[in-house]
Amino acid sequence: MGWGVVVRRGRGCRCDDAECLVMRVVVVPRPDGGGRLRPVGADGTPAGPVEEVDDLAARVAEWERVARPRWVWAATAEVYPELLRAGVRVRRCHDLALTEALLLGWACRHGEPRWWGAAWARLRGGPVPPDPPVRRREEHQPALFETVAAGTPEVDPVEALAAVLADQERRVAEVDHPGLMRLLVAAESAGSLAAAEMTHHGVPWRADAHDALLTELLGSRPPAGALPARLAELAGRVVAAFGGRAVNPDSPADLVRAFAHDGVDLPSTRSWVLREVDHPAVEPLLRYKELSRLYTAHGWSWLESWVRDGRFRPEYVVGGVVSGRWASRGGAALQVPKVVRRAVVADPGWVLVVADAAQLEPRVLAALSGDRGFARVAGEGDLYAAVAEEVFGGDRKRAKLGLLSAMYGGTSGGAGPLLAVLRQRFPEAMGFVEAAARAGEEGRVVRSRLGRTSPPPSARWHAVIERGADPGAGEAEKRQARRVARDWGRFTRNFVVQASAAEWALVLVAVLRQRVGRWAGSAELVFFQHDEVMLHCRREVAEDVAEAVRWAGVEATRWVFGSTPVRFPLEVSVVDCYADAK
DNA sequence: AGACGTTGCGCC
DNA sequence: AAAGGGCGCAACGTCT
């Protein structure tokens, strides 16, 4: 899709001026704790001698004290955890790998080899080697800088990183809106620092409370290989309800057969399907599924693997989702079930500050589209209620359904007529997502507010589309082509909203992280999940921290959307226990 | 036995 | 209430 559909230039990014004067220092660590550093200009040219040090952390801390540079390194995830373990924090960085992914994406070269391929091409020409494999927590793999050093002994890694930096600066300047892309690069890099710091600090987690919760719901911990008492009992009730027929409640196929035997035909055993069925097995089965999930996903073995010394330390994968949302590795960090939040308890004398952006995505759509009518309702505290008031005679449910369908591309559940009304009332907002959907259906890419780009559809996708367009195509082929086109349209429709929402949240984290630095030792960001942040802080500073979060929301709005009537309210709770938030 | 795809469900 | 978008994970089941 045309860039113009998605991004109208807002307020310029401050990185354009002051930030760019910040000194950059390239860092290449050695496995033994030493490393090499070199100050460089934005164009990668040396601004000082190479330093070779045996205690990299100490040297970084010293630089940080006197010059507050922007650290330039291959990947925060490979460099920063070690610094944190040595007690060293940094204010800002430029993550070359993350930036490379953003820039490759912008040029519709998603998935191509990243930074060191670019370095190679720039320094030596010739074929571009593939990326090193993704680093796994459990196994040691060579870090990026080691790989480049091993593969190209004649290339100084410091020189290589400086070259990549220069290359990236040049490419950023060539995008349609360099100021927005600079903001994205800065926020992505700041996010990588926040992610490493959150992993380092961890979410306060009371293993005893978790164990008590499990025991209450499942019975005491069973010996290895045995089912907890409560699950065994429910499984027994399921079997009894089928007249003693042997049924494994964990096996969908088994269940479908058992229900069929009793004259109940099921398309699947999903819980919402079962809920509609009148059969004595349903009630114990639903309860079994619910508790079984708790047991397998967040039971005692989860607790043993993931909680140490009163902290849950998930590993975040910054930019791990195509939309720019973060993913996580291990521990299912971004899926902590509501019941388990009982175990997330602040240390004595400390509290949790939990903040959640209310109705973030429709607000983002309002700001993106510039629809004045929609922006006006998005200036209200309850956007859905405001839309309901204006359009649906106060029916908030219908307002919510209609708006979610507009952003996700759904038409089921009677959303069709609601969409027609919304289209009439908010033509620019609805036109915005529909233009994004059309772009996807036609195989074009779309971009977020700051310039993150959707992946182009695969060759297979194009093949299906072309087969459907062939004059000799059969009905089935045409239908399939229409379906995959619509599917991709739903993806791009959602991408523009979800990716821009992720940017707002990312900038919030970036500015909040800077602000929280003033309470070093007394307040920590400990968790971030799409539109929600959690801080762990001393009780005395809780109100100040809560205020900082609200301020960060306002800042994020200004940075990402400039001047807009749209409000992005945060629901902030100060609690002892995560389960009590909101 | 291990790889892979499917099913189902937790979160936003 | 679910369905539309995005994920991670565990268990089942099939294939190799």
Side-chain angles (χ1 to χ4, degrees):
Chain A
M1 116 184 327
W3 179 242
V5 178
V6 179
V7 171
R8 295 186 335 289
R9 189 173 180 95
R11 182 171 163 280
C13 164
R14 276 185 244 153
C15 301
D16 274 334
D17 34 81
E19 289 279 312
C20 286
L21 300 178
V22 169
M23 178 182 288
R24 292 157 172 74
V25 180
V26 174
V27 183
V28 176
R30 287 197 315 252
D32 67 355
R36 292 155 63 79
L37 308 83
R38 178 167 225 181
V40 298
D43 60 357
T45 54
V50 174
E51 296 181 17
E52 181 96 37
V53 297
D54 288 329
D55 187 344
L56 182 64
R59 187 67 185 116
V60 167
E62 200 176 337
W63 270 100
E64 192 65 29
R65 264 197 306 279
V66 299
R68 304 186 175 191
R70 183 178 297 280
W71 297 97
V72 177
W73 47 49
T76 301
E78 292 181 351
V79 181
Y80 197 35
E82 201 58 49
L83 296 178
L84 287 169
R85 276 191 285 275
V88 177
R89 297 212 170 198
V90 303
R91 286 177 183 76
R92 50 197 156 200
C93 77
H94 178 102
D95 185 308
L96 291 162
L98 290 173
T99 303
E100 189 64 27
L102 290 170
L103 289 169
L104 285 173
W106 202 88
C108 294
R109 293 163 56 202
H110 294 79
E112 282 187 29
R114 295 191 183 182
W115 76 272
W116 96 267
W120 179 269
R122 186 178 174 82
L123 290 170
R124 290 288 180 271
V128 178
D131 269 350
V134 175
R135 199 178 63 117
R136 287 274 159 199
R137 192 191 179 88
E138 59 273 15
E139 62 195 70
H140 175 80
Q141 292 188 345
L144 293 175
F145 71 89
E146 295 174 50
T147 311
V148 77
T152 60
E154 75 277 23
V155 175
D156 178 351
V158 170
E159 190 192 338
L161 295 196
V164 178
L165 173 68
D167 190 51
Q168 292 184 348
E169 295 280 353
R170 179 184 59 73
R171 288 148 70 203
V172 165
E174 285 171 2
V175 308
D176 289 4
H177 300 292
L180 297 177
M181 182 58 82
R182 274 192 196 100
L183 173 56
L184 179 54
V185 166
E188 192 95 325
S189 296
S192 72
L193 296 175
E197 288 161 4
M198 289 191 289
T199 301
H200 181 72
H201 189 275
V203 179
W205 203 285
R206 285 266 301 273
D208 58 340
H210 192 150
D211 176 67
L213 175 87
L214 294 174
T215 302
E216 180 193 324
L217 294 172
L218 299 167
S220 56
R221 183 174 190 178
L227 224 49
R230 182 89 177 100
L231 285 180
E233 179 219 322
L234 287 164
R237 284 179 56 200
V238 170
V239 168
F242 284 118
R245 187 190 157 92
V247 174
N248 176 2
D250 288 323
S251 165
D254 234 23
L255 288 168
V256 168
R257 275 192 297 272
F259 275 106
H261 188 263
D262 288 358
V264 181
D265 282 318
L266 294 178
S268 78
T269 61
R270 293 187 151 83
S271 51
W272 69 83
V273 172
L274 290 174
R275 223 162 268 138
E276 302 304 314
V277 172
D278 182 25
H279 188 284
V282 167
E283 187 266 325
L285 179 56
L286 287 173
R287 190 64 183 146
Y288 175 90
K289 277 169 167 271
E290 197 180 323
L291 291 176
S292 167
R293 172 143 187 104
L294 172 67
Y295 174 58
T296 55
H298 286 92
W300 288 278
S301 55
W302 181 92
L303 189 54
E304 271 176 2
S305 332
W306 291 103
V307 177
R308 285 260 185 292
D309 305 323
R311 294 285 186 268
F312 170 43
R313 293 196 171 79
E315 203 176 327
Y316 297 93
V317 185
V318 176
V321 179
V322 284
S323 66
R325 279 182 172 183
W326 294 8
S328 66
R329 198 148 50 214
L334 305 185
Q335 300 137 254
V336 176
K338 293 233 156 85
V339 289
V340 173
R341 297 179 185 184
R342 187 54 61 196
V344 181
V345 181
D347 291 350
W350 291 56
V351 292
L352 302 172
V353 176
V354 182
D356 180 288
Q359 305 160 337
L360 178 58
E361 294 194 347
R363 291 173 193 281
V364 164
L365 173 56
L368 280 174
S369 66
D371 187 305
R372 292 174 62 175
F374 197 46
R376 200 171 61 247
V377 298
E380 299 291 326
D382 185 346
L383 182 147
Y384 295 135
V387 169
E389 203 55 47
E390 285 215 15
V391 189
F392 294 115
D395 188 342
R396 190 176 180 281
K397 279 187 159 177
R398 288 171 71 209
K400 183 173 179 179
L401 172 65
L403 285 172
L404 290 180
S405 300
M407 289 183 297
Y408 292 155
T411 50
S412 58
L418 305 182
L419 287 173
V421 175
L422 288 172
R423 200 175 294 125
Q424 199 173 25
R425 194 68 181 70
F426 306 117
E428 284 150 325
M430 298 304 121
F432 187 90
V433 283
E434 277 160 17
R438 216 157 37 241
E441 288 169 14
E442 292 166 7
R444 289 177 285 133
V445 300
V446 295
R447 303 189 201 276
S448 68
R449 169 68 183 168
L450 299 185
R452 196 183 303 267
T453 306
S454 69
S458 65
R460 212 190 83 75
W461 184 91
H462 282 289
V464 172
I465 296 294
E466 276 161 36
R467 219 179 305 138
D470 191 280
E475 268 314 304
E477 283 165 327
K478 286 183 186 165
R479 232 186 350 263
Q480 194 197 4
R482 273 198 302 276
R483 203 195 66 236
V484 302
R486 272 200 309 274
D487 286 351
W488 199 254
R490 269 200 301 281
F491 167 64
T492 51
R493 171 196 291 263
N494 184 251
F495 182 93
V496 292
V497 177
Q498 187 184 115
S500 302
E503 284 161 355
W504 182 89
L506 185 65
V507 171
L508 178 140
V509 165
V511 297
L512 180 57
R513 172 181 174 274
Q514 287 287 1
R515 176 60 66 103
V516 166
R518 67 173 58 177
W519 298 291
S522 297
E524 288 285 348
L525 257 171
V526 295
F527 189 61
F528 170 51
Q529 174 178 235
H530 312 316
D531 60 358
E532 181 182 348
V533 292
M534 185 194 298
L535 300 101
H536 188 219
C537 67
R538 289 188 198 280
R539 196 176 292 279
E540 308 86 81
V541 299
E543 275 316 312
D544 293 333
V545 168
E547 191 46 40
V549 177
R550 293 189 195 94
W551 168 85
V554 173
E555 281 292 288
T557 304
R558 273 194 331 127
W559 279 79
V560 176
F561 295 113
S563 166
T564 171
V566 178
R567 282 179 55 227
F568 292 81
L570 285 152
E571 287 172 5
V572 185
S573 315
V574 178
V575 291
D576 292 313
C577 174
Y578 189 18
D580 299 328
K582 273 188 276 187

